[in-house]
Every structure is written in structure tokens, then in C-alpha cells.
Amino acid sequence: MTLRRVNVLILVLLAVAFLIIVQRNLLNLSEFLHKEVPDAGMILPFESELSPDLRSETVRKGEEIPVLITATEERLGAVVAAMNSVYQNSKANVVFTIVTLNDTVGHLKLWLSKTKLKNVKHKIVIFKPELLKGKISEDPQTLEAAKPLTFARFYLPVYIPEAEKAIYLDDDVIVQGDIQELYETNLKPGHAAAFSEDCDSASSKGIVRGAGNQNNYMGYLDFKKEDIKKLGMRANTCSFNPGVIIANLTEWRNQNITRQLEHWMELNKQNDLYSKTLAESIVTPPLLIVFYKRHSNIDPMWHIRHLGTTGAQNRYSPQFVKAAKLLHWNGHYKPWSRTSAFTDVWDKWFIADPTGKFQPVRRHTGDN
């Protein structure tokens, strides 16, 4: 055997030995990884070395779901809790439009950017009170002038011009279901919006025993006024709650709903059309008129109301509250105050204010 053949044979044997060693090491590594993370798949060694700030959240894909919510300075914590509940309970591609006033923008931006909501898609829009000029009382002492943002829902197509459909939410809500389901609420042909009627079983009958009289149109409008009488509406028709709205914005634009609502705002200013007895809400009456017999209904479990009223703690069982897909603290008692029911549910979604300005009021241990 020549020297050259011996050298070739040695090289072949070395190559085989090297491959055996490599194969054995790979098998050992695979076995190690399998034992360490049997359900998580292979974890690359350098993943744990990445800065948490560089780990982008999984991009939410699919159709955008526009959600509009208003933000006042004194209730900013409510907005944050509502947004957090929507975002955490859904994988949908939610995009928030937050309508606010100039004096709130800085605080709102800081709160969103310094907390886990920094990845939430949103745009901030400044509400211009001039929109309401000539339509509501300009006396700063009146309820109307004090809360201009409550009328923002009238202008949904203005704030979300690119969308065909959108959701409006009051700030005193917590969403426990997947917002995608609410968004997919079926609206009947020709209907520009869906609401929750005040006679629905989940919030007014059976479950909420003793909640008081069911609300109807008589509670919001003065049926002695000629402008109301000539509409031919039945006074005992169930009213609806506009704290949650599913809007078909294409129909809203085609039917010029915003202008119709403004018309009834102007008429009320001239002729005082609203009921004197109630309704706290000066926003609801124009909606009741414009959408009389022309709206679709929201699944009752997607708008459980009256959590902000007296005795709500006794009317709803904890099990029912847990099962509800959307909770609404409409009424005087808000979940960030000491007098409200089910504050523990709201607290789960509240994110502390980085500035410390907004602090939920809670009972001290020694309180009765």
C-alpha cells in the first residue's frame, strides 16, 4: 500500500469520526431541549437575551374594528380601564378613536405611553365645542354645556371617516367578551345603528328584580308638545340605552343621521321638548326620536346595565356578572368611587395613573 493511499484512508476515518461526534452532540442537544420545553417548541439560546422592549407583540391582523370612546380629564381612569378590558379580552385588530378636549391630551398620551397600553392602536381627536353652537344651552352652569363630549357619538362618521362600521362605548364600561363578537352584530337592512332596549330581559326583568319601572319614551320626551305629538310615536315604547352603539356608518351617512340629530337638538333648545321628570340624559332624546322603530337590537348579554344604581349589588349575582360580556355602570355610582357595586371587577382592568392624579376611591378597612 502506497503512502498516498494510507493518507487518504486516514482522512476518511477522521471524517467519519467527526460526523459521529457531531451527530451525537446534536442528539444530546435535541434531548436536552425536549426535556426543558416539551410543550413550547424549540427555544433558541439567544432569545432570552433580547431586551423586553425589543420584543414586539404579535401583530394583530384582519379587519380593523373601530371603537370610539370619549375621554374627560376627571374620568380618564375609566377610559384606560375600558380600553384595557377591550384589548386584553380580544385578539381582534382593534383601533381606538379617543375623542377628548385640549386640556386632557397630554395626560392621556402619557398614561398610554408609559403603561402596557403603549402597543394599542389608537388616534386622539380633539372635540370642537363649536359643533354644538346654537344646538344646546351655552350657559356654563347647565348640564349640557358642562359635558359637551357626551354628544361626540352623534358625529361618528366625522371621527371615523374611513370605516363602514364602528362601535361606540361609554367610558364607564368593562368589556369581558371578545369585541369581535359585538362588532359582528347583525343590523337589519336600512338600520344605521343597534342599541340595547331598556325592556330586554337581562337588564330589566327577571335578573334585575326591583330595578324600578322600565324606561320608555314618556320618561324622556314631553308628549304634550306639538313637535312631539305630530311624530305619532307611542309614549309607552321601550327606550334604549346609547351607552353602547353598533353603527353602520354607511347608512348613517346616507340617511344623514347626524344632521337629523342636530335638528332635534335645535328644536329642543327652542321649544323645550324633553321630559321634566327624568332622564338625566340630554343626549338620549334626539336618538330616541331619530331611531324610533328604526334600529336593531344588541344581544342583552353584551350590555348589562344599571351597575351604577342603588342596590345593584343585590340585583345581580357574582356569577351573572362574571358571565356578562359587557358591564355598564350607568347611574350615579361609578366603579372608581367607594359607593359603587362590583368595584373589584373594574379594578382588574384599571391601570394606575403614572402621574398619580387619578386615584380610585376605596373604602378603608375600618369603614362600614
Side-chain angles (χ1 to χ4, degrees):
M1 184 179 292
T2 65
L3 181 60
R4 184 176 179 181
R5 287 182 179 177
V6 171
N7 290 339
V8 170
L9 182 59
I10 292 173
L11 287 173
V12 171
L13 292 173
L14 288 173
V16 171
F18 175 76
L19 290 173
I20 292 172
I21 293 170
V22 169
Q23 183 187 29
R24 195 169 291 171
N25 287 339
L26 287 173
L27 288 172
N28 290 339
L29 176 61
S30 176
E31 184 181 0
F32 169 76
L33 290 173
H34 182 71
K35 288 179 180 177
E36 290 297 308
V37 282
D39 298 320
M42 183 174 289
I43 296 179
L44 298 176
F46 54 80
E47 258 193 331
S48 62
E49 297 171 12
L50 288 176
S51 166
D53 294 333
L54 297 178
R55 293 181 186 167
S56 59
E57 182 180 325
T58 303
V59 176
R60 298 191 178 200
K61 300 178 181 178
E63 180 184 7
E64 287 190 351
I65 297 181
V67 176
L68 186 141
I69 191 166
T70 60
T72 59
E73 180 65 26
E74 67 275 12
R75 293 165 65 123
L76 211 47
V79 177
V80 168
M83 289 177 61
N84 189 36
S85 70
V86 170
Y87 189 71
Q88 300 297 338
N89 285 312
S90 176
K91 297 300 182 185
N93 187 14
V94 182
V95 180
F96 291 96
T97 296
I98 310 168
V99 183
T100 189
L101 300 172
N102 276 315
D103 60 358
T104 306
V105 174
H107 191 183
L108 174 60
K109 284 184 175 179
L110 180 66
W111 207 329
L112 295 179
S113 65
K114 297 295 184 182
T115 65
K116 61 184 178 182
L117 291 180
K118 62 185 176 183
N119 293 321
V120 174
K121 291 183 182 178
H122 69 277
K123 62 179 180 179
I124 298 174
V125 180
I126 306 300
F127 183 83
K128 295 183 178 179
E130 307 91 79
L131 279 172
L132 305 178
K133 189 173 179 61
K135 303 177 183 70
I136 63 172
S137 171
E138 296 177 16
D139 180 355
Q141 300 302 313
T142 66
L143 181 64
E144 297 172 350
K147 298 182 178 179
L149 284 177
T150 59
F151 294 95
R153 72 198 84 185
F154 289 7
Y155 300 93
L156 279 167
V158 177
Y159 295 126
I160 313 177
E162 69 286 355
E164 295 183 2
K165 193 176 183 182
I167 296 172
Y168 166 83
L169 297 177
D170 272 356
D171 60 3
D172 53 352
V173 305
I174 289 296
V175 175
Q176 299 186 133
D178 187 337
I179 199 76
Q180 179 90 37
E181 182 183 334
L182 180 62
Y183 183 73
E184 291 173 355
T185 296
N186 184 43
L187 274 67
K188 295 178 180 178
H191 286 180
F195 304 92
S196 296
E197 292 198 346
D198 288 320
C199 300
D200 73 45
S201 59
S203 284
S204 293
K205 298 177 183 175
I207 303 217
V208 189
R209 297 179 181 86
N213 295 329
Q214 294 174 351
N215 290 328
N216 54 36
Y217 272 54
M218 177 70 80
Y220 290 87
L221 299 167
D222 187 346
F223 278 79
K224 295 178 181 178
K225 296 295 176 71
E226 189 60 33
D227 287 317
I228 301 299
K229 285 199 298 186
K230 67 183 181 183
L231 291 173
M233 298 185 301
R234 297 186 56 159
N236 65 349
T237 301
C238 281
S239 55
F240 52 75
N241 185 299
V244 177
I245 305 173
I246 316 299
N248 179 329
L249 297 182
T250 301
E251 284 291 346
W252 195 295
R253 296 183 190 98
N254 290 342
Q255 297 178 31
N256 209 356
I257 296 294
T258 295
R259 183 59 202 129
Q260 291 186 55
L261 293 168
E262 290 180 328
H263 169 72
W264 286 104
M265 291 165 69
E266 293 162 358
L267 271 185
N268 175 65
K269 187 180 178 186
Q270 298 168 14
N271 302 328
D272 202 17
L273 305 179
Y274 300 167
S275 170
K276 300 298 182 190
T277 57
L278 128 150
E280 295 179 355
S281 172
I282 43 150
V283 172
T284 302
L287 289 163
L288 292 177
I289 295 171
V290 172
F291 287 102
Y292 179 75
K293 303 289 187 182
R294 295 171 57 208
H295 68 272
S296 298
N297 295 326
I298 293 173
D299 178 342
M301 291 301 286
W302 265 106
H303 193 179
I304 299 303
R305 306 180 291 289
H306 311 304
L307 272 73
T309 57
T310 304
Q313 194 84 43
N314 298 322
R315 293 178 189 141
Y316 295 105
S317 71
Q319 293 78 12
F320 180 73
V321 168
K322 184 177 181 180
K325 296 180 179 179
L326 185 149
L327 301 168
H328 188 185
W329 279 263
N330 60 311
H332 291 293
Y333 308 110
K334 301 305 179 185
W336 51 89
S337 68
R338 72 173 63 211
T339 52
S340 176
F342 301 106
T343 56
D344 57 320
V345 177
W346 186 86
D347 284 343
K348 283 169 51 181
W349 305 106
F350 175 67
I351 300 173
D353 182 359
T355 71
K357 293 178 184 177
F358 185 97
Q359 296 283 350
V361 180
R362 293 291 176 258
R363 290 183 182 275
H364 297 296
T365 306
D367 288 349
N368 296 318

